[in-house]
């Protein structure tokens, strides 16, 4: 049973990360209403398992719950969004002069970036949102999905490259 002090601790520890939780859910579900539902479910789960939170770093813990809740929701409502096609041409190494950061800073506007992010497969969208929009460290990302740091780094590199290709296509007037 949760006590009054646990309520206060939960509010102090977990509630400050509500916007990061919503941002991740919004990008993964691609819908405001669905993201709100997912975040609500994630916070219910977070409350249920609040006693298992170790230490003070609640943000990665909460984002892990949001991430798992999103994937469960996507499996139940949009399983086709979870498939990531591996294309050798897309996943090969990018040249240094055409990296996503350069494209983002010099050629893309906010809507183009939003469209490109929306076009990414959910696994790539997730990793870009966590790193680039939420500032989650590589180490924290590796702890969330419980995959090795090298896998996180290579997935992020592939996601950035695919994002770059989507932005290039949009800048040239094509579909992402």
């Amino acid at each position: 049973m949760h006590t009054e002090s646990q309520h206060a601790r939960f509010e102090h520890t977990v509630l400050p990360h509500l916007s990061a939780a919503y941002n991740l859910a919004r990008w993964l579900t691609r819908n405001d209403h669905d993201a709100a539902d997912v975040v609500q479910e994630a916070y219910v789960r977070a409350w249920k398992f609040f006693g298992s939170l170790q230490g003070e770093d609640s943000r990665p813990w909460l984002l892990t719950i949001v991430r798992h809740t999103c994937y469960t929701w996507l499996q139940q409502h949009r399983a086709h969004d979870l498939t990531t096609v591996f294309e050798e041409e897309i996943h090969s190494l990018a040249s240094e002069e055409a990296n996503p950061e350069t494209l983002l800073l010099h050629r893309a506007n906010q809507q183009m970036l939003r469209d490109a992010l929306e076009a990414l497969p959910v696994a790539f969208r997730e990793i870009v949102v966590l790193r680039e929009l939420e500032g989650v460290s590589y180490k924290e990302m590796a702890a969330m999905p419980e995959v090795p740091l090298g896998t996180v780094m290579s997935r992020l590199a592939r996601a950035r490259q695919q994002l770059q290709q989507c932005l290039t296509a949009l800048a040239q007037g094509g579909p992402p």
Side-chain angles (χ1 to χ4, degrees):
M1 181 135 227
H2 294 283
T3 66
E4 191 66 35
S5 64
Q6 286 174 311
H7 286 277
R9 186 173 158 251
F10 182 82
E11 288 179 13
H12 176 74
T13 308
V14 180
L15 286 183
H17 307 298
L18 183 59
S19 67
Y22 177 79
N23 193 36
L24 177 59
R26 170 58 185 89
W27 280 108
L28 293 180
T29 63
R30 295 188 279 187
N31 179 287
D32 292 332
H33 179 72
D34 295 338
D37 289 347
V38 166
V39 169
Q40 183 176 11
E41 175 63 26
Y43 267 79
V44 168
R45 290 180 184 184
W47 173 249
K48 182 177 179 181
F49 296 104
F50 187 61
S52 70
L53 175 61
Q54 309 253 325
E56 293 299 317
D57 205 1
S58 60
R59 186 171 183 225
W61 177 81
L62 176 65
L63 291 177
T64 298
I65 293 171
V66 171
R67 178 185 180 274
H68 288 299
T69 305
C70 280
Y71 278 104
T72 300
W73 186 90
L74 286 169
Q75 283 176 335
Q76 293 170 350
H77 296 91
R78 289 191 234 142
H80 65 280
D81 280 358
L82 294 174
T83 58
T84 302
V85 177
F86 183 87
E87 297 177 30
E88 188 61 40
E89 186 176 307
I90 290 174
H91 297 140
S92 63
L93 293 175
S95 67
E96 195 54 38
E97 67 274 358
N99 65 51
E101 290 84 4
T102 302
L103 269 170
L104 292 175
L105 292 173
H106 297 292
R107 292 188 232 152
N109 61 33
Q110 286 185 338
Q111 187 59 46
M112 193 181 303
L113 177 58
R114 181 178 306 280
D115 292 344
L117 278 170
E118 294 275 343
L120 290 177
V122 70
F124 288 168
R125 200 172 342 130
E126 170 197 6
I127 200 134
V128 169
V129 168
L130 286 172
R131 180 69 188 140
E132 305 301 341
L133 301 181
E134 292 302 325
V136 176
S137 73
Y138 292 108
K139 184 179 177 182
E140 290 171 332
M141 281 191 285
M144 280 184 206
E146 299 166 349
V147 296
L149 184 60
T151 302
V152 168
M153 293 170 71
S154 66
R155 188 177 293 164
L156 183 58
R158 290 191 313 268
R160 285 175 172 164
Q161 184 173 15
Q162 192 166 352
L163 179 62
Q164 174 189 349
Q165 290 176 343
C166 288
L167 286 169
T168 301
L170 286 168
Q172 295 171 352

